[in-house]
Amino acid sequence: MTVGLAALESAAAALLPGYRDLVPLPGERDLNARVCSADGRPAVLKLAAADADPDRVELEDAVLRHLAGRALPVRTPALLDRAAIDVEGRWRVARMLTWIDGAPWTDRPLSDIDLRGVGAAVAALDAALAGFDHPALTVPHRWSMPAAGQLSFDPARLPAQCREFTVAAMGRFRNELGAALDRLPSQAIHNDANEHNVLVDDNGAPAGLIDFGDVDRAPRVCGLATLCAYAVLHAGDDVLAPVLPLVAGYHREAPLTVAEVAILPGLIATRLAMSVVNAVRQGDDDPGNAYLQVSQGPIRRVAPRLGEALGALAVCRLRDACGYPAVPESRTVVAWLSSAAADPAPVVAAARPDAKVLVLPSDADLTGAAVLPDGVDLAVGRYGEDRPVYTVDEFAGADGERRTVHLGLDLFVPAGEPVYAPFDGDVVAVAVRPAALDYGGTLLLRHETSSGAPFWLLLGHLAREVTTRVRPGQRVARGERVATVGAPDENGGWQPHPHVQLFTTLLGRSHDLPGVARRSERDVWQSISPDPNLVCRLPIEPAPAQRDRDWIVSRRGTNLSATLSLSYATPLSIVAGEGAELIDSDGRRYLDLVNNVAHVGHCHSRVTAALTEQARILNTNTRYLHPAIAEYARRLVALFPDPLSVVFLVNSGSEANDLALRLARTHTGRDVVLALEHAYHGHTSALIEVSHYKFARAGGAGAGPRVRVCRLPDPYRGEHGDDGVAYAEEVARHSHGAAAFLHESIPGVAGQVELATGYLAAAYAYARAAGAVCIADEVQCGFGRVGDAMWAFERHGVVPDVVTLGKPIGNGHPLAAVVTTPQIARSFVSGMEYFNTFGGNPVSCRIGLAVLDTIRDERLMANAADVGGHLAAGLRELQRRHACIGDVRGRGLFLGVDLVTDRSTREPASERARAVVEAAVARRVLLSADGPGANVLKIKPPLVITEREADRALHVLEGALTG
């Protein structure tokens, strides 16, 4: 029995009497083991090294105590017990930690791991450690990156394969990166998220982060660099490929600054160099510990490629992964080239802004001789085109992906045509490609914007005589002839053309600048090489980009807010709609039971025709007379009872409700609003203030001084059942001094709740007696959706003072309205003009009229009653067969199915509702779940849904409930 195993057994006996199944685990300095208690529960035993710094051991324990109980996306160990153990006459600290299920990511292929999730988990851990401090954090150690410059080493003792890389990386840290790190704030970081310390579950999602022995105080980007460094060791040909999702995930959780991104590649190199240096020292100190050398083989394998892979292009790729423009200087160059200050000369005589241009298709044969058709000045191979003609080995990319996205403009003109400098500038490089890659001569020119920002123009496929015409360092003038167009026999067989490419950075190069990019790196390279038509100014457009699902997911994760949610566990990629169906990018059709915006059906021909016809004629604001706005206002108020006769046109339901509150407050001179429990009225600050569904939930600040919440008159869950008058007494108690009583006519996010009988009539009476204005929010349930009336408030026998409209009003077009009385509208005339730039524009009004016409002519209110009644009857039959359905409610095509765990207790079945929604979408029926318990299935399809489609929905719902 070895001394180490005996010491572990002694520690296990002291901390876990009756232990069993002790299995040693690898470690850098500590002795580690997995042990089980007598009843089989696993734990981790750690026995500190004999010479361990007791302050460092205490630091590790303090970190674990700090993290205990914190909400993190992954588990971290918890300290169970601690004791001092006598091992061969020396006292050593033994600790027992919780065991975390999961496998080290090194046990799984990188392709199977949720790298974005891992990055986000490390970011969340860093955020949790930001407030932690401990005296031992002030003492640097061998893995402290800010102290990397203090590591001494003999280059001659470094492995030959990584000697050059290590010396260069450590030199760059001492000369540049160390000072950059000093300018960043420091905090406690885990500092060792390597492939053995990050645990993943069976699905590759992050499950745990272990081993806090290298905790350090450093800029957080050091910990991220450590994570990325060990991912690099397991990468394929493109060593940066696994780093990009790690960084994107980290940035999504804890946004990185541009300064942090700029030094990250260098810090990745620093961490790997530190690993090489420390491995030599550790090998001397503990030659029998194979764990200390576990990373050295992979480092030696990738080291020869790291200098290039972690260079200037890496910064561009990482900036793009974080949603920043890959080249920040690109903005300045593009802006100047777009301005009147830039006045480029034509690159070739035919390339004029008024040229007659033939745009070549992406699969055109570009070899051999070509004759331009009559009347055409030149042919063009477009910028941004995905061109499969590039199939030679030179364009083969990492991991088999070819570089096919064209980054230049190809101007096809006869051989021998002169080529001119578009601006004053300097010659940077002149070259003729080798015979094996005979693409003729190339010329690189450097220019500057009027503010001195540099940019470069690459001219390729030139006649070889370019090397005799200009030389590096030569100054050239705007319009000066610098080359001629190469013929096929000196141009690799290509049709004669100059390749014109713009650069905003040279990435530290003056040659080997690619003219095509991988599709996966399109955005990066189009920042490095923007559209050269900014220089050529031909009457053409760049080629449209082909974007796949992965790109959409990535861009949503960087350039859109994380608060912008997606539906369903596997989000749908929807590209078209028709009637009551949505169509995904693979052509699959989904019955849409969710979208009450596409009121008269997705992409209704009458609505789209009105939009396009009016958009072709005029779209402007309301400061001019136009018949559409007057006609729409007349038609709209004709649908309301007296005295609702004045219309304000706006752009969204939120804007309508915001304006309604302004009207009420101006009319009454008061501020307080009465609102219902679980109500949602919009996303502006004023509406979040009155939306209990928002301010009383996660992220909300609670009720403010200008809102009084009244209980929801819910016949199914409320304490007064269907006795609306009893609920309304709360309105009477709260209405003193109120400006408005605001309600949804059928509360939607509250769970499609039909207000209790008699509630609105009593509530209106109480509110008006106190001088408050009554506002009906019909944004979700208006325009005939309830089947028996145009507006849901009509069932209650009341007439509001203000009604707000949105969502279905424009069938997906941003249109909304406030309808009120002449008296309230007149009180709003206070000397402050009300103007809305887009509200009431001719296009919106024509669309609104088309929606009204379609509702009328296709008898959609009747369809809502008929199909809605059929659907409700089918849902009640499902209720009879499935005990999880506690209630079926609603009117017309605004229905709710309340799922419960037990009908007697009416406990919301939130998980069941989520499962039903996912099961339905798998069968291509779209549902959603809402309500305070997220347990109410909301059914609010386009009004064109047919009875046959309703039967399909019922069949799918039956299967989802059964499964």
Side-chain angles (χ1 to χ4, degrees), residues 376-429:
V376 173
D377 296 312
L378 76 165
V380 173
R382 287 192 296 177
Y383 171 80
E385 199 90 69
D386 196 350
R387 305 180 72 175
V389 294
Y390 294 125
T391 57
V392 294
D393 290 342
E394 181 197 5
F395 301 115
D399 303 320
E401 184 184 5
R402 294 189 176 275
R403 294 191 286 156
T404 59
V405 178
H406 195 223
L407 297 174
L409 272 178
D410 287 344
L411 308 178
F412 289 89
V413 294
E417 282 287 301
V419 178
Y420 305 98
F423 306 102
D424 293 343
D426 300 294
V427 177
V428 176

Side-chain angles (χ1 to χ4, degrees), residues 15 17 256 284 378 407 472 614 689 726 733 817 819 828 938 957 963:
L15 293 175
L256 295 161
D284 293 340
L378 76 165
L407 297 174
Q614 185 58 50
E689 183 183 23
R733 291 195 299 272
V819 183
F828 198 57
K938 298 173 67 173
L957 194 53

Side-chain angles (χ1 to χ4, degrees), residues 29-315:
R29 301 188 73 244
D30 292 348
L31 293 177
N32 304 310
R34 182 185 189 273
V35 297
C36 289
S37 62
D39 58 0
R41 287 177 297 176
V44 175
L45 174 64
K46 295 181 73 69
L47 184 61
D51 60 348
D53 181 348
D55 291 338
R56 289 290 306 177
V57 177
E58 170 53 31
L59 167 62
E60 184 175 351
D61 291 350
V63 169
L64 298 183
R65 289 192 294 268
H66 175 79
L67 294 175
R70 291 179 180 266
L72 292 171
V74 293
R75 293 182 61 199
T76 56
L79 181 64
L80 297 175
D81 201 358
R82 190 179 198 271
I85 306 296
D86 184 357
V87 179
E88 296 186 328
R90 298 188 67 175
W91 291 97
R92 297 168 65 173
V93 176
R95 293 169 295 155
M96 195 71 70
L97 309 179
T98 53
W99 175 264
I100 297 177
D101 288 325
W105 104 30
T106 189
D107 291 353
R108 304 280 297 274
L110 275 179
S111 58
D112 291 347
I113 295 173
D114 175 12
L115 294 174
R116 281 179 177 265
V118 170
V122 172
L125 182 62
D126 282 348
L129 289 174
F132 173 79
D133 201 4
H134 191 278
L137 283 174
T138 61
V139 181
H141 56 91
R142 72 174 68 187
W143 293 110
S144 178
M145 196 175 294
Q150 301 171 24
L151 286 177
S152 60
F153 62 94
D154 179 1
R157 297 199 60 208
L158 301 178
Q161 303 95 318
C162 47
R163 182 179 301 138
E164 181 180 354
F165 159 74
T166 303
V167 171
M170 297 300 283
R172 184 183 176 196
F173 184 88
R174 291 181 179 124
N175 297 329
E176 176 187 345
L177 297 178
L181 271 187
D182 289 343
R183 293 190 290 270
L184 296 177
S186 292
Q187 65 162 78
I189 61 171
H190 177 271
N191 199 42
D192 199 18
N194 64 42
E195 70 270 55
H196 300 282
N197 293 338
V198 176
L199 306 181
V200 296
D201 63 19
D202 292 341
N203 297 316
L209 274 167
I210 61 174
D211 191 352
F212 285 77
D214 290 334
V215 166
D216 190 30
R217 175 180 285 141
R220 60 181 185 154
V221 71
C222 295
L224 176 59
T226 297
L227 172 67
C228 295
Y230 292 101
V232 161
L233 301 184
H234 299 274
D237 291 338
D238 182 359
V239 298
L240 205 67
V243 170
L244 300 175
L246 286 172
V247 173
Y250 189 102
H251 181 75
R252 178 85 161 170
E253 178 70 25
L256 295 161
T257 67
V258 293
E260 290 172 315
V261 176
I263 63 173
L264 181 55
L267 295 182
I268 295 171
T270 300
R271 176 68 186 208
L272 292 172
M274 291 173 67
S275 181
V276 174
V277 171
N278 282 333
V280 172
R281 181 177 301 174
Q282 290 170 318
D284 293 340
D285 295 342
D286 191 0
N289 191 341
Y291 177 76
L292 301 179
Q293 306 296 320
V294 70
S295 297
Q296 298 312 298
I299 292 178
R300 288 192 288 271
R301 177 179 62 84
V302 302
R305 292 179 284 140
L306 289 179
E308 175 75 14
L310 298 176
L313 180 57
V315 177

